[in-house]
């Protein structure tokens, strides 16, 4: 991993103290043989201490790459940080030396991955793996670290933790492994917990267990939560704020109550419309036409324009910014929320409302 | 699989002629000398009785059988012509094994399968082959289920060839028609799987199943691997095809929202058995099995204003190699706990009982389930105690 990224000069001012994480205009590109993939292309958001944020998007939208960039876990090259700053707990972390970053990672900032089996080391016991990072970060003796591991397992509801710490990952079920991952992440009392699709690989009833567990832990500890998922249902239940990503960009952001109930970006509208519900039985689902754009050949202006039911000529000519689109700080990347698009907005919203509630066409 | 040099069996289908006119794109009756009476809509098309599939576990130096996985362990259900029958359950409940056993893609251990009035549970491979075109399957994984070395023409054409359509031109025409049917371009026949997106690959899988003009299609998690926006496109396609081609689906899924939208009747499976069976309305409005109640409660609702407290089941699904005695669900059952752990759940295996209108439930205490019992169970549960100690 190449460690040095030339720091932009000068860095911006640090955010106010209540902001734990402030991501500013982050651009992570991948340089590959066929060209350059703008995986994350100008993403900005912030997260208050103790609060939660969800990042939603389909595969390839850039949500996982954003998190990995934040953790400084990407290989550079092929990844390339084109621009941006990330302020975490009062310090800029995107350009700090890797030794400094290692002190933060796993300590103040911890991550839960999607695949618990591949993220745990098969040749060490669960206790060894948790104790190792406690020892390193908290500078405590082995015995104290080991006790800490048992405590963390207890915190995530694993029965008889003093025996479980001596087990290897293969001796545990999928749900138990995910609990171990969470215990490991929590063992150093992080200020920020990043969960990347934490329940996607799990069965429905186990997913329910893990989601309830994450909620309880968030209530009991002061850590902030960043939840990355493609499941709008999981987001609706778990977080305060949400950002919706499409083709490397944020297309909508706001509180979950606003974004998932009154979506203002056509992409979010389309996602919600396409969810099968009982009301739509007997009719066809409303589907977003086409597929996500080829990352080597993004649409020149609005990236959603080729699939958008409300697009007009402006959308193919000028790229939209994130415009204010509702109360409580809701923003949408769509020309409908500019003076030029205003006359078209009521019709688009009415159309969304109609598609949301009934299936259309006779089946 | 027959090669083109194999002589035509006297009783086999005659080679198709290039002039075959295809209507609707998926009708191969022209090459179908077989007498399978088309079952009228609403009549029983497929009947399954006492179906079991046990897999041996072999181990030790001598590779002796040291155990048995009871993947499907005594399942009865009917599928009516023209309906979508869903099988739901968690991984390891046997839904996929059941779907494949019904088509005899894996040999059932015991039980009877009747398709269009004909017992197919013991007929020979030769007798089965012509029936295969009436029973097709769509697989979950659009990446693993298409041979990366085969162009689309072969991927779809292989089945046609096996069914005796030896004329290359006729086969290619049929392949193109099938592609068109699922919304892909006719020119795609020369392309290979890697040239397609996940959604397009799933369409190829569907085209492959439909090329033979089946009556019944087993859809094994057809949209689970797809993104939300693509999922709805594929579900719409399946709905359109069902209507246009009078198809009957067995829809295997773990996603209860999709099942509720897509199917007519549902069988909820747990550890190789059907726990509850009924119409979508019956099951989703008035679930009578504590497992169904918990599954429904576990669905995350995308409307944040409908946030609810959910009923969380304890522990994991036990191993199908050692299913619990009595009721298989008793180790995780919230209702049993609520009722003071009655002995009957451990000693006696519940059978499916009728609750009217085809609604059946395998629970001794199904009458005890009400909105009150559910909400009091939700109130008293402890989220941190949901991990259950299996033997360390």
């Amino acid at each position: 991993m190449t460690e040095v990224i030339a720091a932009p000069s000068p860095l911006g001012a640090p955010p106010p103290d209540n902001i734990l994480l402030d991501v500013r205009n982050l651009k992570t590109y991948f340089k590959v043989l066929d060209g350059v993939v703008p995986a994350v292309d100008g993403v900005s958001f912030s997260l208050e201490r103790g609060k939660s944020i969800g990042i939603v998007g389909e595969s390839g939208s850039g949500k996982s790459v954003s998190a990995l960039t934040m953790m400084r876990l990407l290989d550079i090259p092929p990844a390339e940080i084109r621009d941006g700053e990330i302020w975490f707990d009062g310090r800029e972390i995107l350009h700090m030396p890797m030794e400094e970053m290692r002190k933060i990672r796993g300590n103040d900032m911890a991550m839960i991955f999607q695949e618990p089996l591949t993220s745990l080391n098969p040749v060490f016991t669960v206790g060894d793996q948790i104790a190792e990072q406690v020892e390193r970060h908290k500078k405590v003796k082995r015995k104290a670290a080991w006790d800490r591991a048992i405590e963390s397992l207890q915190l995530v509801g694993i029965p008889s933790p003093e025996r479980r710490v001596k087990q290897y990952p293969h001796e545990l079920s999928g749900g138990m492994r995910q609990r171990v991952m969470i215990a490991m992440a929590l063992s150093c009392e992080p200020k920020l917990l990043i969960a990347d699709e934490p329940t996607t690989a799990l069965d429905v009833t186990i997913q329910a267990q893990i989601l309830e567990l994450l909620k309880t832990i968030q209530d009991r500890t002061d850590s902030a939560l960043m939840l990355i998922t493609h499941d709008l249902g999981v987001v609706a239940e778990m977080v305060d704020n949400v950002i919706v990503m499409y083709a490397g960009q944020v297309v909508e952001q706001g509180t979950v109550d606003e974004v998932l109930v009154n979506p203002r970006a056509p992409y979010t509208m389309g996602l919600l419309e396409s969810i099968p519900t009982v009301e739509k039985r007997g009719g066809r689902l409303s589907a977003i036409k086409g597929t996500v754009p080829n990352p080597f050949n993004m649409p020149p202006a609005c990236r959603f324009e080729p699939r958008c039911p409300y697009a007009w000529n402006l959308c193919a000519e000028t790229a939209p910014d994130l415009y204010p689109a509702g109360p409580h700080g809701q923003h949408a990347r769509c020309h409908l929320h500019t003076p030029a698009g205003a006359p078209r907005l009521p019709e688009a919203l009415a159309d969304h409302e109609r598609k949301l509630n009934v299936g259309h066409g006779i089946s | 699989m027959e090669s083109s040099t194999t002589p035509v069996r006297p009783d086999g289908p005659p080679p198709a002629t290039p002039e075959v006119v295809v209507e609707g794109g998926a009708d191969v009756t022209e090459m179908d000398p077989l007498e399978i009476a088309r079952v009228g809509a609403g009549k029983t098309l497929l009947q399954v009785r006492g179906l079991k599939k046990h897999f041996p576990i072999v181990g030790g130096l001598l590779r002796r059988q040291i155990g048995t996985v009871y993947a499907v362990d005594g399942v009865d259900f009917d599928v009516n012509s023209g309906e979508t029958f869903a099988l739901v359950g968690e991984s390891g409940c046997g839904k996929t094994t059941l779907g494949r056993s019904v088509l005899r893609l894996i040999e059932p251990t015991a039980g009877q399968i009747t398709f269009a009035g004909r017992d197919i549970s013991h007929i020979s491979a030769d007798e089965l082959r012509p029936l295969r075109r009436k029973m097709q399957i769509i697989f979950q994984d659009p990446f693993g289920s298409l041979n990366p070395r085969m162009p689309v023409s072969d991927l779809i054409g292989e089945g046609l060839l096996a069914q005796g359509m030896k004329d290359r031109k006729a086969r290619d025409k049929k392949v193109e028609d099938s592609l068109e049917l699922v919304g892909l371009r006719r020119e795609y026949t020369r392309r290979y799987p890697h040239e397609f997106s996940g959604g397009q690959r799933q369409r190829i899988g569907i085209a492959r199943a439909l090329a033979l003009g089946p009556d019944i299609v087993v859809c094994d998690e057809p949209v689970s691997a797809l993104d939300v926006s693509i999922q709805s496109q594929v579900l719409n396609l399946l709905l359109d095809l069902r209507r246009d081609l009078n198809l009957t689906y067995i829809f295997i899924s773990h996603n209860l929202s999709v099942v509720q939208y897509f199917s007519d009747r549902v069988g909820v499976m747990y550890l190789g058995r059907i726990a509850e069976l009924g119409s979508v309305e019956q099951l989703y409005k008035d679930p009578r099995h504590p497992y169904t109640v918990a599954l429904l409660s576990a669905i995350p609702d995308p409307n944040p204003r409908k946030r609810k407290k959910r009923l969380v089941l304890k522990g994991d699904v036990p191993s199908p190699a050692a299913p619990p005695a009595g009721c298989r669900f008793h180790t995780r059952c919230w209702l049993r706990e609520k009722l003071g752990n009655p002995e009957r759940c451990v000693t006696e295996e519940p059978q499916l009982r009728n609750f009217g209108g085809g609604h059946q439930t395998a629970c001794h205490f199904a009458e005890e389930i009400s909105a009150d019992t559910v909400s009091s169970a939700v109130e008293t549960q402890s989220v941190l105690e949901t991990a259950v100690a299996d033997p360390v």
Side-chain angles (χ1 to χ4, degrees):
Chain A
M1 208 172 287
T2 332
E3 317 237 320
V4 186
I5 306 159
S9 52
L11 277 173
D17 196 50
N18 66 327
I19 301 293
L20 175 69
L21 178 74
D22 196 18
V23 177
R24 300 175 185 170
N25 195 30
L26 184 65
K27 290 189 180 175
T28 309
Y29 288 17
F30 287 95
K31 238 187 194 158
V32 289
L33 269 180
D34 296 342
V36 176
V37 177
V40 175
D41 206 10
V43 166
S44 303
F45 65 91
S46 61
L47 174 59
E48 278 179 51
R49 291 179 192 275
K51 296 281 182 168
S52 53
I53 194 166
I55 303 189
V56 203
E58 297 181 280
S59 12
S61 62
K63 54 192 194 306
S64 289
V65 175
S66 301
L68 291 171
T69 312
M70 250 171 258
M71 295 283 282
R72 302 269 306 268
L73 285 173
L74 285 176
D75 282 331
I76 299 172
E80 191 184 314
I81 314 287
R82 284 277 173 97
D83 199 358
E85 291 172 22
I86 299 174
W87 290 81
F88 174 74
D89 201 16
R91 301 166 72 193
E92 208 289 325
I93 59 169
L94 191 57
H95 305 94
M96 69 170 39
M98 202 49 107
E99 296 97 272
E100 288 292 301
M101 186 61 205
R102 283 200 192 97
K103 288 181 194 153
I104 293 176
R105 197 166 52 205
N107 190 16
D108 291 331
M109 192 192 242
M111 189 156 174
I112 304 167
F113 295 93
Q114 180 176 75
E115 264 300 330
L117 190 57
T118 50
S119 320
L120 290 167
N121 190 329
V123 301
F124 290 101
T125 63
V126 162
D128 283 332
Q129 298 185 53
I130 302 178
E132 183 198 3
Q133 67 174 29
V134 177
E135 250 182 295
R136 172 166 299 193
H137 286 305
K138 298 298 177 202
K139 309 273 185 286
V140 293
K141 288 264 158 37
R142 183 72 184 168
K143 175 73 178 65
W146 191 261
D147 289 345
R148 192 55 200 266
I150 296 175
E151 253 174 65
S152 318
L153 291 182
Q154 203 156 18
L155 178 69
V156 297
I158 292 184
S160 33
E162 53 297 318
R163 282 187 292 167
R164 292 281 177 192
V165 277
K166 295 178 201 146
Q167 287 192 313
Y168 291 88
H170 75 267
E171 298 177 81
L172 305 171
S173 69
M176 282 292 191
R177 282 184 208 128
Q178 198 54 292
R179 282 173 195 262
V180 168
M181 287 294 296
I182 297 172
M184 188 181 291
L186 292 174
S187 61
C188 291
E189 297 177 320
K191 293 174 178 143
L192 172 65
L193 186 61
I194 303 176
D196 187 359
E197 304 269 11
T199 58
T200 307
L202 305 175
D203 270 318
V204 207
T205 61
I206 309 299
Q207 161 168 306
Q209 290 176 4
I210 299 295
L211 292 182
E212 292 299 325
L213 174 69
L214 280 174
K215 271 195 237 172
T216 313
I217 284 169
Q218 240 234 313
D219 288 345
R220 288 191 187 176
T221 65
D222 304 325
S223 70
L225 174 69
M226 184 167 132
L227 180 75
I228 300 167
T229 179
H230 68 279
D231 189 328
L232 294 169
V234 170
V235 160
E237 293 209 7
M238 298 291 297
V239 299
D240 308 315
N241 291 304
V242 62
I243 66 178
V244 181
M245 290 190 67
Y246 183 79
Q249 295 177 323
V250 175
V251 291
E252 181 154 10
Q253 62 185 46
T255 64
V256 269
D257 260 26
E258 293 300 330
V259 173
L260 297 188
V261 180
N262 300 313
R264 288 295 178 262
Y267 176 63
T268 321
M269 296 181 194
L271 277 186
L272 286 163
E273 289 158 11
S274 64
I275 296 177
T277 62
V278 64
E279 291 82 14
K280 294 175 192 161
R281 265 178 72 88
R284 304 175 83 231
L285 289 173
S286 153
I288 301 177
K289 67 181 177 193
T291 50
V292 287
N294 179 345
F296 298 113
N297 188 15
M298 290 284 190
C302 173
R303 292 187 180 172
F304 189 60
E305 181 268 331
R307 305 177 74 189
C308 184
Y310 313 121
W312 69 101
N313 51 10
L314 175 66
C315 306
E317 290 157 7
T318 317
D321 284 326
L322 275 170
Y323 303 110
H328 317 295
Q330 187 177 6
H331 281 68
R333 188 180 295 278
C334 179
H335 288 306
L336 284 175
H337 304 286
T338 60
R344 297 166 185 267
L345 183 63
E347 199 185 316
L349 294 181
D351 181 60
H352 165 63
E353 215 51 49
R354 195 170 48 76
K355 287 184 190 160
L356 192 63
N357 293 318
V358 282
H360 56 93
I362 307 299
S363 156
Chain B
M1 201 128 301
E2 288 174 89
S3 79
S4 50
T5 51
T6 319
V8 182
R9 279 177 289 114
D11 57 332
T17 47
E19 302 78 67
V20 169
V21 180
V22 191
E23 280 178 12
D27 190 10
V28 276
T29 42
E30 289 84 352
M31 53 178 250
D32 182 7
L34 204 86
E35 295 303 316
I36 307 170
R38 183 109 211 176
V39 176
K43 301 265 176 53
T44 306
L45 178 64
L46 182 81
Q47 192 181 60
V48 175
R49 290 291 175 269
L51 193 73
K52 291 185 180 179
K53 178 62 195 179
H54 298 171
F55 294 102
I57 308 171
V58 291
L61 265 183
L62 301 171
R63 312 300 297 162
R64 286 212 185 98
Q65 185 172 348
I66 52 169
T68 306
V69 175
Y70 302 92
V72 175
D73 204 20
V75 163
D76 303 331
F77 64 89
D78 293 342
V79 180
N80 299 326
S81 182
E83 78 172 350
T84 298
F85 178 75
L87 287 168
V88 298
E90 299 178 89
S91 39
C93 73
K95 54 192 192 302
T96 294
T97 304
L98 179 56
R100 293 184 187 186
S101 305
V102 161
L103 300 187
R104 281 193 60 194
L105 290 175
I106 42 186
E107 276 313 314
T109 310
Q112 194 185 35
I113 305 157
T114 314
F115 176 70
R118 188 165 166 196
D119 185 348
I120 59 162
S121 17
H122 302 291
I123 61 174
S124 69
D126 275 353
E127 286 176 287
L128 193 58
R129 185 171 300 118
L131 278 169
R132 287 252 183 256
R133 81 178 57 140
K134 294 289 168 199
M135 315 184 294
Q136 287 291 311
I137 184 165
I138 300 165
F139 296 99
Q140 166 173 9
D141 181 2
F143 297 87
S145 60
L146 299 176
N147 186 338
R149 290 165 180 268
M150 279 191 181
V152 170
S153 55
D154 289 354
L155 284 168
I156 299 177
E158 200 181 21
L160 295 164
L161 183 62
Q163 289 291 347
M165 197 187 231
K166 295 197 174 55
D167 184 279
R168 176 101 219 176
K169 267 192 193 149
R171 225 165 49 228
D172 284 349
K173 164 97 168 52
K174 184 78 218 164
V175 169
E176 288 175 17
D177 289 341
S178 310
L179 285 176
E180 202 165 43
L181 190 69
V182 298
L184 294 174
R185 289 206 206 115
R186 298 180 81 92
E187 312 74 278
Y188 286 170
T189 49
R190 289 286 118 217
R191 294 202 185 177
Y192 287 84
H194 74 265
E195 299 175 68
F196 296 96
S197 70
Q200 286 176 319
R201 283 182 216 213
Q202 203 52 302
R203 284 173 194 265
I204 294 171
I206 296 171
R208 175 168 65 180
L210 295 182
L212 291 159
D215 288 339
I216 192 164
V217 181
V218 173
C219 309
D220 189 359
E221 303 263 17
V223 295
S224 306
L226 306 175
D227 271 321
V228 200
S229 71
I230 307 300
Q231 171 178 300
S232 52
Q233 293 176 359
V234 172
L235 285 175
N236 279 340
L237 173 67
L238 288 172
L239 278 179
D240 291 345
L241 292 169
R242 180 177 79 166
R243 178 198 54 204
D244 296 344
L245 307 172
N246 295 314
L247 295 174
T248 304
Y249 289 139
I250 295 181
F251 189 80
I252 299 171
S253 178
H254 68 276
N255 186 328
L256 286 119
S257 313
V258 172
V259 164
Q260 184 180 22
Y261 163 74
F262 194 73
S263 5
D264 302 307
R265 288 194 309 127
V266 186
V268 177
M269 287 190 74
Y270 190 77
L271 281 178
R273 306 265 302 183
I274 288 189
E276 186 161 11
L277 190 71
S279 70
V280 162
E281 289 76 17
Q282 288 163 344
L283 238 74
Y284 283 75
K285 290 225 176 77
D286 184 29
R288 289 276 128 214
H289 195 287
Y291 180 58
T292 314
V293 172
L295 279 183
L296 292 175
S297 171
I299 310 175
D301 195 316
N303 188 337
R305 294 185 185 166
K306 288 193 200 155
R307 272 191 212 200
K308 56 181 179 190
K309 280 197 122 178
R310 59 156 76 88
L311 188 64
V312 183
L313 285 184
K314 295 185 175 179
D316 295 289
V317 183
S319 160
C327 174
R328 288 166 195 230
F329 184 58
H330 84 257
T331 52
R332 303 174 78 198
C333 186
W334 56 272
L335 182 63
R336 176 168 181 263
E337 199 170 289
K338 198 109 213 70
L339 298 173
N341 298 324
E343 205 44 35
R344 196 175 167 202
C345 302
V346 189
T347 54
E348 191 189 329
E349 177 152 24
Q351 301 302 316
L352 283 172
R353 290 189 290 140
N354 267 312
F355 279 78
H359 188 183
Q360 295 179 299
T361 291
C363 172
H364 295 308
F365 299 100
E367 286 80 2
E368 302 289 335
I369 292 183
S370 67
D372 288 344
T373 39
V374 177
S375 59
S376 90
V378 171
E379 288 311 316
T380 51
Q381 72 187 356
S382 162
V383 172
L384 279 183
E385 282 163 20
T386 48
V388 164
D390 36 288
V392 178

